[in-house]
Amino acid sequence: MRNIAVWILALGVAAAPALAADGPGSGTDNGKPAANSATTKNSAAPATNTTDAKSGDTAKKASVEEELDELRAVLRDQAARLAEQQQEIDNMKAELSHSHSDGSAAPAATVAASAPAATPSGSSAASTSSAPATGSPTLVAKSTEAPRQSSSGSEGPASISFKGVTLTPGGFFAAESVWRQRALSADINTPFNSVPFAGSSQSQISEFNASGRQSRISMLVEGKVGIAKLSGYYETDFLSAGVTSNSNQSNSYTLRQRQFWAQAALDSGWTFTGGQMWSLVTERKSGLSNRTEAPPLTIDAQYSIGFSWARQYAFRVTKEFNKKAWLGIAVENPQTTLTAHANNNNFLIGAAGANGGLLPTVNNFSFNKTPDVVVKMAFEPGFGHYEVFGVYSDFRARIFPGTPPSVVGAFNDSRNAGGVGANARMPIVAKKLDFGVHAFVGDGIGRYGTGGLSDVTVRPNGTLAPLRAGQGLVTLEAHPTPAWDVYFNYGMEYVARGAYTIGAAGEGYGSPLFANTGCGIETLPGNNTTPGGLGACTGDTKSLQEGTAGIWYRFYRGSYGTLAMGLQYSYVVRNAWSGVGGSPHNNENMVFTSFRYYIP
């Protein structure tokens, strides 16, 4: 409307001289013909009449000039107001660009005020539209539609104000599939340590599975109280199964808790967080903040080999130093993963969930002594993000000494373990190419790796022996345009032998005395739905390796949300420790697809 008004005023100014020549003040009086106008052309008028006419013309011209001056003043005022409004818009754009330069997706309410094409950034794991999520593409793309407008002419809010707090919904809806060369009887989540050896019937048959179970729903609640910002975050998906879950007809699966935590962030830089969350071991993209985790860009819900992570209970305290350095410490829920082959009945490490104890009775749980302790420091010197961290664990078992074992003299035995790690993420070409590297080594750290290798094995006397292990991941992420992400990951996980002997037999993990002669010999199935078990095949995993290449493409990103498609290829190699009969190994080829709509 302002533009229309300015054009009307401009046309009025342009037409004013013509109106001055032919309109009032040119031989007229208030628009009426002058008296005796026909006779003044043929006879001279009296001198007094001529003087009066000239005076009237001069006054009328002065009146027109005053009107023109008023119009010019109005135009100048309108131009000044438009310039001020344009400056305000430019300032808003600059603030929005700065506030979302960390890669988080802009809320829908701010998209309309930003430029049509958003600036490319890193993985979106921490956006309000998707938590540092598995396979979350960079949520940037050029809008192809006008922003959604409300009846008042302004875009609807991305957040909801409720009783003094702000509620921000998030998540995505996914349609995904996976094809595997060798059947694993697995959904979109890959159990890497179960890649079958050549003798398994599963290695001779492929599988295809498709589901929407990785679809995610989240809610962020935020409020400010004095010197503290209070937050709560909930995130869930459907990658769990109840006793009635199946894919026969209704494909019904249960809701799963991914994250559920509360937080108090003080203005002084101290932050206190408690609940279920990503472990402090997990790499971040910014500081040590929640919701800035940096999982690799994959569709596989188990991420990539070499990525160290957990989502579990934690209570965490962090401190920020001038937005350049961060220090954090967390106590986290422990568990012990064990591989042992002798059945000496001389130790106790845990049990299946008890009826009424609210733990599933089909899974085993260790009797933990203390929580795991994680300490991490992060640095952002101006070029990239860097982390160093350490983990401490205390493994315990109940030992029954003697041969044969006896309850006489039984005692508890603890073994300290842990590891150190480092992460680095840096831009090679600003906003176009990012490089990341991760390494984690130590004793008893197997469960923090994507491959799910063991933490400990058992000695002949029943005491636990933490296994030495290492995990590493290299990532390369390209963002050639705002709509495209291209990524390459290579990861490896390794676990050392923990070999012992009992007489002439082997014990522990990866013993060269273990039999591997049957790892390449196929056996008959137990029934039509149970593959045959391999005979004489211990096959303790030595290493897992995975190479991944994939793309994400956003068809649209704007006030209506984001529509994205992903395609990924992965190649996995599983190598086992050598034993009697050789060193079994096998590989796995996998192709993933994803079609997602992200909540704006």
Side-chain angles (χ1 to χ4, degrees):
M1 291 300 294
R2 293 190 182 95
N3 290 338
I4 293 173
V6 171
W7 276 107
I8 291 173
L9 291 172
L11 289 173
V13 172
L19 294 174
D22 298 327
S26 181
T28 63
D29 182 10
N30 297 327
K32 298 179 181 179
N36 300 323
S37 59
T39 61
T40 56
K41 294 180 181 179
N42 298 321
S43 61
T48 55
N49 293 339
T50 302
T51 303
D52 292 340
K54 289 182 179 179
S55 299
D57 290 344
T58 301
K60 291 174 181 177
K61 289 180 180 179
S63 176
V64 170
E65 289 297 331
E66 290 176 357
E67 291 178 1
L68 291 176
D69 289 339
E70 291 177 358
L71 289 173
R72 293 188 187 100
V74 170
L75 288 174
R76 286 194 296 269
D77 182 67
Q78 292 290 339
R81 292 183 181 181
L82 290 173
E84 292 175 357
Q85 292 173 356
Q86 184 61 47
Q87 184 61 45
E88 291 176 358
I89 292 173
D90 291 340
N91 292 340
M92 291 175 64
K93 289 180 179 180
E95 292 175 1
L96 291 170
S97 175
H98 175 74
S99 63
H100 298 293
S101 61
D102 63 349
S104 61
T110 64
V111 172
S114 62
T119 303
S121 60
S123 147
S124 69
S127 69
T128 57
S129 297
S130 62
T134 308
S136 298
T138 306
L139 296 185
V140 287
K142 188 173 181 178
S143 174
T144 58
E145 299 184 39
R148 179 175 67 250
Q149 299 292 322
S150 69
S151 58
S152 63
S154 61
E155 190 178 76
S159 302
I160 304 168
S161 294
F162 177 74
K163 293 187 177 181
V165 299
T166 300
L167 309 179
T168 305
F172 58 82
F173 307 94
E176 298 176 332
S177 70
V178 58
W179 173 88
R180 297 186 178 97
Q181 178 189 11
R182 310 186 194 284
L184 294 177
S185 191
D187 204 310
I188 205 72
N189 192 89
T190 302
F192 292 101
N193 199 29
S194 297
V195 170
F197 295 124
S200 171
S201 298
Q202 291 177 255
S203 71
Q204 309 302 320
I205 190 169
S206 65
E207 72 176 359
F208 172 84
N209 285 314
S211 75
R213 297 175 64 191
Q214 197 166 188
S215 298
R216 194 171 302 167
I217 302 170
S218 66
M219 178 67 74
L220 174 66
V221 183
E222 298 174 292
K224 181 72 172 178
V225 179
I227 61 171
K229 179 182 178 181
L230 307 183
S231 303
Y233 185 69
Y234 176 61
E235 182 181 85
T236 183
D237 62 22
F238 301 87
L239 290 170
S240 65
V243 294
T244 60
S245 299
N246 62 70
S247 299
N248 296 338
Q249 188 175 51
S250 64
N251 285 31
S252 301
Y253 294 93
T254 55
L255 195 66
R256 180 177 73 150
Q257 177 178 294
R258 288 173 55 88
Q259 299 189 71
F260 210 143
W261 46 260
Q263 183 178 90
L266 307 184
D267 293 344
S268 60
W270 289 95
T271 301
F272 303 85
T273 311
Q276 178 162 312
M277 66 191 80
W278 289 85
S279 169
L280 193 57
V281 167
T282 310
E283 180 186 358
R284 264 69 181 169
K285 290 188 296 183
S286 176
L288 295 180
S289 302
N290 291 61
R291 301 175 58 248
T292 65
E293 295 83 10
L297 286 178
T298 67
I299 300 172
D300 194 330
Q302 191 59 20
Y303 311 105
S304 293
I305 289 292
F307 177 55
S308 301
W309 65 280
R311 282 193 306 271
Q312 56 194 12
Y313 164 86
F315 186 82
R316 178 186 306 163
V317 179
T318 63
K319 178 67 169 72
E320 174 194 297
F321 301 93
N322 298 321
K323 297 185 179 180
K324 293 291 185 181
W326 293 260
L327 174 64
I329 183 170
V331 291
E332 303 189 0
N333 188 59
Q335 274 296 305
T336 303
T337 56
L338 166 75
T339 297
H341 302 285
N343 185 21
N344 298 329
N345 295 323
N346 62 349
F347 72 99
L348 176 66
I349 191 173
N355 288 322
L358 301 183
L359 293 175
T361 58
V362 296
N363 294 328
N364 293 322
F365 298 86
S366 57
F367 298 142
N368 305 305
K369 179 181 179 182
T370 61
D372 285 357
V373 179
V374 184
V375 178
K376 176 179 278 190
M377 292 191 69
F379 308 91
E380 292 180 7
F383 182 81
H385 176 83
Y386 308 92
E387 302 176 348
V388 292
F389 63 92
V391 178
Y392 169 79
S393 300
D394 190 355
F395 300 108
R396 181 184 60 184
R398 178 73 173 169
I399 311 301
F400 302 91
T403 306
S406 172
V407 295
V408 178
F411 62 96
N412 296 339
D413 181 74
S414 297
R415 301 288 164 164
N416 298 326
V420 294
N423 302 313
R425 184 171 294 268
M426 63 199 77
I428 303 301
V429 179
K431 299 182 180 180
K432 293 292 185 181
L433 187 64
D434 298 322
F435 173 77
V437 60
H438 161 80
F440 186 26
V441 296
D443 297 333
I445 62 171
R447 80 176 182 98
Y448 283 102
T450 284
L453 301 177
S454 292
D455 292 327
V456 299
T457 189
V458 66
R459 299 180 178 89
N461 63 4
T463 59
L464 300 180
L467 295 171
R468 182 148 297 176
Q471 304 159 13
L473 176 66
V474 176
T475 63
L476 190 66
E477 299 175 359
H479 319 291
T481 72
W484 286 91
D485 291 328
V486 182
Y487 59 91
F488 303 92
N489 303 327
Y490 172 75
M492 181 177 181
E493 296 182 28
Y494 166 88
V495 59
R497 292 184 192 267
Y500 307 95
T501 58
I502 302 177
E507 172 58 300
Y509 185 90
S511 172
L513 300 177
F514 289 157
N516 287 332
T517 55
C519 294
I521 302 174
E522 188 171 2
T523 60
L524 290 171
N527 54 54
N528 293 335
T529 59
T530 304
L534 296 179
C537 181
T538 304
D540 286 339
T541 299
K542 175 183 179 181
S543 66
L544 296 167
Q545 299 180 66
E546 181 186 18
T548 296
I551 60 171
W552 281 104
Y553 174 70
R554 266 95 41 211
F555 298 96
Y556 165 79
R557 179 185 184 263
S559 59
Y560 296 100
T562 298
L563 191 65
M565 181 193 73
L567 178 65
Q568 175 182 318
Y569 167 75
S570 292
Y571 179 75
V572 180
V573 176
R574 179 189 177 195
N575 294 309
W577 280 107
S578 61
V580 178
S583 305
H585 66 277
N586 213 345
N587 55 38
E588 177 76 273
N589 290 278
M590 302 185 291
V591 178
F592 297 82
T593 67
S594 180
F595 183 73
R596 296 181 181 179
Y597 167 72
Y598 287 80
I599 297 174

